[in-house]
Amino acid sequence: MSRVQVPGSGHGVIDDLQGLLLATLVSSMGLAILAHDNLLVGGMAGLSLLLHYQFDWPFSLVFVLGNLPFYWLSIRRMGWEFTLKTFLAVAACGALTDLLPQWIDITFSGDSALMSAVIGGCLTGLGILFFIRHRASLGGIGILAIYLQQSRGWNAGVFQLVYDLLLMAVALLVLPASNVAYSVIGAVLIGIVLGFNHRPGRYHGRC
C-alpha cells in the first residue's frame, strides 16, 4: 500500500526532538492566543475549540479524543513514525494550550480580537509548518482529506476548505459574528504561512 511522503525524513533524533518541542511550543502559544478571544482555526483544533467554548470542556481532552478515530488512517497512509509523532504532538499541544494561560498573561491593547487573530494565526501556522518538517502534524481532518484523495479521488484541499467553511458556519450558532470573522482572518494567515513556506524545494530536511 502506498504511503504519503512527508518532508523532513533527513532529520536525526536530536533534530526531531528539538523541532517537535519547538513546534509544540509555537503551536500551543498560537492556539492559546486565539482561545483568549474565543476565536477558531480550521481542522480538528477548530472543532475542539468550538466544543470547548460551548460546553466548557477542556480543550486538551476534546482535542485528543477527537483525533483518535483518525490514527488508523494515519498508520495506513503515513506509517507508524508519522502517526506516533502526531499522537504525541496532539497530546502535548492540547495540554500546553490549556496550561499556558495559567502561566502567562495573554493581553493585547486596542482591538484584542484582531491582534489575537493575526498573532495567533501566524504562530499556529509556523507551528504546523515545523510539525510537517519533522514528519508530524496536528492530526484530524488533514489525515482524512489525504485518505479520501487517495482512496476516492477527492481533492484534499477542496475537502479541507469545505470542512472549514462548514465549521465557521456552525460557529455562528455559538459565537458572535465578529468572532467568526476574526477567526477567518486567522485561518487565512495560517494558510498564507504554509503556502509560502511549505513548497517543494523550499526545504530539504538536511543539516
Side-chain angles (χ1 to χ4, degrees):
M1 180 178 295
S2 62
R3 289 176 179 171
V4 175
Q5 296 298 313
V6 182
S9 58
H11 287 297
V13 175
I14 301 300
D15 293 324
D16 269 344
L17 181 60
Q18 64 83 28
L20 292 172
L21 287 174
L22 181 60
T24 299
L25 179 60
V26 174
S27 297
S28 301
M29 178 63 73
L31 290 172
I33 289 173
L34 291 167
H36 177 265
D37 278 297
N38 287 0
L39 304 182
L40 299 176
V41 291
M44 184 54 64
L47 178 59
S48 300
L49 284 171
L50 187 61
L51 292 173
H52 165 66
Y53 301 148
Q54 176 66 13
F55 301 107
D56 200 28
W57 295 339
F59 169 76
S60 55
L61 179 63
V62 179
F63 193 37
V64 169
L65 293 180
N67 272 292
L68 289 179
F70 299 101
Y71 289 126
W72 75 274
L73 293 177
S74 178
I75 293 171
R76 294 181 62 185
R77 298 294 171 178
M78 311 291 196
W80 279 99
E81 178 190 349
F82 178 89
T83 303
L84 179 59
K85 288 180 179 178
T86 296
F87 175 80
L88 295 174
V90 167
C93 192
L96 195 56
T97 299
D98 280 343
L99 290 172
L100 278 174
Q102 302 177 31
W103 298 339
I104 59 175
D105 180 19
I106 302 174
T107 304
F108 299 115
S109 60
D111 193 336
S112 175
L114 178 59
M115 289 298 296
S116 293
V118 172
I119 297 176
C122 288
L123 288 177
T124 302
L126 285 173
I128 294 172
L129 178 66
F130 297 160
F131 278 127
I132 292 172
R133 289 178 172 178
H134 290 272
R135 286 187 54 81
S137 76
L138 288 182
I141 302 303
I143 295 173
L144 178 59
I146 292 172
Y147 172 79
L148 291 174
Q149 177 170 287
Q150 291 192 340
S151 63
R152 301 191 179 183
W154 296 12
N155 184 288
V158 172
F159 177 83
Q160 287 188 280
L161 177 61
V162 171
Y163 168 87
D164 289 343
L165 290 175
L166 289 174
L167 177 64
M168 295 299 174
V170 172
L172 289 171
L173 302 176
V174 177
L175 301 173
S178 59
N179 289 51
V180 177
Y182 285 126
S183 297
V184 171
I185 293 175
V188 168
L189 288 172
I190 292 174
I192 290 174
V193 169
L194 294 176
F196 272 99
N197 294 281
H198 182 48
R199 290 184 290 177
R202 174 59 65 90
Y203 182 78
H204 300 289
R206 300 186 183 277
C207 300

Short mmCIF file of all heavy atoms in Angstrom, two decimals, residues 164-188:
data_model
loop_
_atom_site.label_atom_id
_atom_site.label_comp_id
_atom_site.label_asym_id
_atom_site.label_seq_id
_atom_site.Cartn_x
_atom_site.Cartn_y
_atom_site.Cartn_z
N ASP A 164 -13.76 23.49 6.62
CA ASP A 164 -13.52 24.70 7.40
C ASP A 164 -14.66 25.71 7.24
O ASP A 164 -15.05 26.39 8.20
CB ASP A 164 -12.19 25.34 6.99
CG ASP A 164 -10.99 24.53 7.45
OD1 ASP A 164 -11.15 23.68 8.34
OD2 ASP A 164 -9.88 24.74 6.90
N LEU A 165 -15.19 25.82 6.03
CA LEU A 165 -16.32 26.72 5.81
C LEU A 165 -17.55 26.27 6.59
O LEU A 165 -18.26 27.11 7.18
CB LEU A 165 -16.64 26.80 4.31
CG LEU A 165 -15.62 27.53 3.44
CD1 LEU A 165 -16.00 27.42 1.97
CD2 LEU A 165 -15.50 29.00 3.85
N LEU A 166 -17.80 24.97 6.61
CA LEU A 166 -18.93 24.45 7.39
C LEU A 166 -18.72 24.69 8.88
O LEU A 166 -19.66 25.03 9.61
CB LEU A 166 -19.11 22.95 7.11
CG LEU A 166 -19.65 22.59 5.73
CD1 LEU A 166 -19.65 21.07 5.53
CD2 LEU A 166 -21.08 23.13 5.55
N LEU A 167 -17.48 24.52 9.33
CA LEU A 167 -17.17 24.76 10.74
C LEU A 167 -17.44 26.21 11.12
O LEU A 167 -18.04 26.49 12.17
CB LEU A 167 -15.71 24.40 11.02
CG LEU A 167 -15.21 24.66 12.44
CD1 LEU A 167 -15.97 23.78 13.45
CD2 LEU A 167 -13.71 24.40 12.55
N MET A 168 -17.01 27.14 10.27
CA MET A 168 -17.24 28.56 10.55
C MET A 168 -18.74 28.87 10.53
O MET A 168 -19.22 29.70 11.32
CB MET A 168 -16.50 29.42 9.52
CG MET A 168 -14.99 29.31 9.59
SD MET A 168 -14.30 29.84 11.20
CE MET A 168 -12.56 29.42 10.98
N ALA A 169 -19.49 28.21 9.64
CA ALA A 169 -20.94 28.43 9.58
C ALA A 169 -21.60 27.95 10.87
O ALA A 169 -22.47 28.63 11.44
CB ALA A 169 -21.53 27.72 8.36
N VAL A 170 -21.21 26.78 11.34
CA VAL A 170 -21.75 26.24 12.59
C VAL A 170 -21.36 27.14 13.76
O VAL A 170 -22.14 27.35 14.70
CB VAL A 170 -21.26 24.80 12.82
CG1 VAL A 170 -21.66 24.31 14.21
CG2 VAL A 170 -21.82 23.87 11.76
N ALA A 171 -20.15 27.70 13.69
CA ALA A 171 -19.66 28.56 14.78
C ALA A 171 -20.55 29.79 14.97
O ALA A 171 -20.63 30.34 16.08
CB ALA A 171 -18.23 28.99 14.50
N LEU A 172 -21.25 30.20 13.91
CA LEU A 172 -22.15 31.36 14.02
C LEU A 172 -23.31 31.08 14.99
O LEU A 172 -23.94 32.02 15.49
CB LEU A 172 -22.71 31.73 12.65
CG LEU A 172 -21.72 32.35 11.66
CD1 LEU A 172 -22.34 32.46 10.28
CD2 LEU A 172 -21.27 33.73 12.16
N LEU A 173 -23.58 29.81 15.26
CA LEU A 173 -24.63 29.45 16.22
C LEU A 173 -24.14 29.55 17.66
O LEU A 173 -24.94 29.54 18.58
CB LEU A 173 -25.12 28.02 15.95
CG LEU A 173 -25.66 27.73 14.55
CD1 LEU A 173 -26.00 26.25 14.41
CD2 LEU A 173 -26.91 28.59 14.28
N VAL A 174 -22.82 29.63 17.81
CA VAL A 174 -22.22 29.62 19.16
C VAL A 174 -21.54 30.94 19.49
O VAL A 174 -21.64 31.44 20.61
CB VAL A 174 -21.20 28.46 19.27
CG1 VAL A 174 -20.52 28.47 20.63
CG2 VAL A 174 -21.89 27.12 19.01
N LEU A 175 -20.86 31.52 18.50
CA LEU A 175 -20.05 32.72 18.72
C LEU A 175 -20.64 33.92 17.99
O LEU A 175 -21.36 33.76 17.00
CB LEU A 175 -18.62 32.48 18.21
CG LEU A 175 -17.85 31.32 18.84
CD1 LEU A 175 -16.53 31.12 18.10
CD2 LEU A 175 -17.61 31.57 20.32
N PRO A 176 -20.32 35.14 18.45
CA PRO A 176 -20.73 36.33 17.72
C PRO A 176 -20.13 36.33 16.31
O PRO A 176 -19.04 35.79 16.09
CB PRO A 176 -20.17 37.48 18.57
CG PRO A 176 -19.98 36.89 19.93
CD PRO A 176 -19.62 35.45 19.72
N ALA A 177 -20.82 36.97 15.38
CA ALA A 177 -20.35 37.01 14.00
C ALA A 177 -18.97 37.64 13.90
O ALA A 177 -18.15 37.24 13.06
CB ALA A 177 -21.34 37.78 13.13
N SER A 178 -18.68 38.62 14.76
CA SER A 178 -17.36 39.28 14.72
C SER A 178 -16.24 38.29 15.07
O SER A 178 -15.16 38.33 14.47
CB SER A 178 -17.34 40.47 15.69
OG SER A 178 -17.60 40.05 17.02
N ASN A 179 -16.50 37.41 16.03
CA ASN A 179 -15.51 36.40 16.38
C ASN A 179 -15.23 35.45 15.22
O ASN A 179 -14.09 35.06 14.97
CB ASN A 179 -15.97 35.59 17.59
CG ASN A 179 -15.93 36.38 18.88
OD1 ASN A 179 -16.47 37.48 18.94
ND2 ASN A 179 -15.32 35.84 19.91
N VAL A 180 -16.30 35.08 14.51
CA VAL A 180 -16.13 34.19 13.36
C VAL A 180 -15.35 34.91 12.26
O VAL A 180 -14.48 34.32 11.61
CB VAL A 180 -17.49 33.72 12.84
CG1 VAL A 180 -17.33 32.85 11.59
CG2 VAL A 180 -18.24 32.94 13.93
N ALA A 181 -15.63 36.19 12.06
CA ALA A 181 -14.92 36.96 11.04
C ALA A 181 -13.43 37.05 11.37
O ALA A 181 -12.57 36.86 10.48
CB ALA A 181 -15.52 38.36 10.92
N TYR A 182 -13.12 37.31 12.62
CA TYR A 182 -11.71 37.36 13.02
C TYR A 182 -11.07 35.97 12.90
O TYR A 182 -9.89 35.84 12.57
CB TYR A 182 -11.58 37.87 14.45
CG TYR A 182 -11.80 39.35 14.61
CD1 TYR A 182 -12.74 39.84 15.52
CD2 TYR A 182 -11.07 40.26 13.86
CE1 TYR A 182 -12.95 41.21 15.66
CE2 TYR A 182 -11.28 41.63 13.99
CZ TYR A 182 -12.22 42.10 14.90
OH TYR A 182 -12.42 43.45 15.04
N SER A 183 -11.85 34.94 13.16
CA SER A 183 -11.34 33.57 13.02
C SER A 183 -10.95 33.28 11.57
O SER A 183 -9.96 32.60 11.31
CB SER A 183 -12.39 32.56 13.49
OG SER A 183 -12.69 32.71 14.86
N VAL A 184 -11.75 33.78 10.65
CA VAL A 184 -11.44 33.61 9.23
C VAL A 184 -10.11 34.28 8.90
O VAL A 184 -9.29 33.74 8.15
CB VAL A 184 -12.57 34.18 8.35
CG1 VAL A 184 -12.16 34.19 6.87
CG2 VAL A 184 -13.84 33.36 8.54
N ILE A 185 -9.87 35.46 9.47
CA ILE A 185 -8.59 36.15 9.26
C ILE A 185 -7.44 35.28 9.75
O ILE A 185 -6.42 35.11 9.05
CB ILE A 185 -8.58 37.50 9.98
CG1 ILE A 185 -9.59 38.46 9.33
CG2 ILE A 185 -7.18 38.12 9.96
CD1 ILE A 185 -9.75 39.78 10.06
N GLY A 186 -7.59 34.71 10.95
CA GLY A 186 -6.54 33.85 11.49
C GLY A 186 -6.31 32.63 10.62
O GLY A 186 -5.17 32.23 10.36
N ALA A 187 -7.41 32.02 10.13
CA ALA A 187 -7.30 30.83 9.29
C ALA A 187 -6.61 31.16 7.97
O ALA A 187 -5.79 30.37 7.46
CB ALA A 187 -8.68 30.23 9.03
N VAL A 188 -6.92 32.33 7.40
CA VAL A 188 -6.27 32.75 6.15
C VAL A 188 -4.77 32.94 6.37
O VAL A 188 -3.95 32.54 5.53
CB VAL A 188 -6.91 34.05 5.62
CG1 VAL A 188 -6.07 34.64 4.49
CG2 VAL A 188 -8.33 33.78 5.13
#
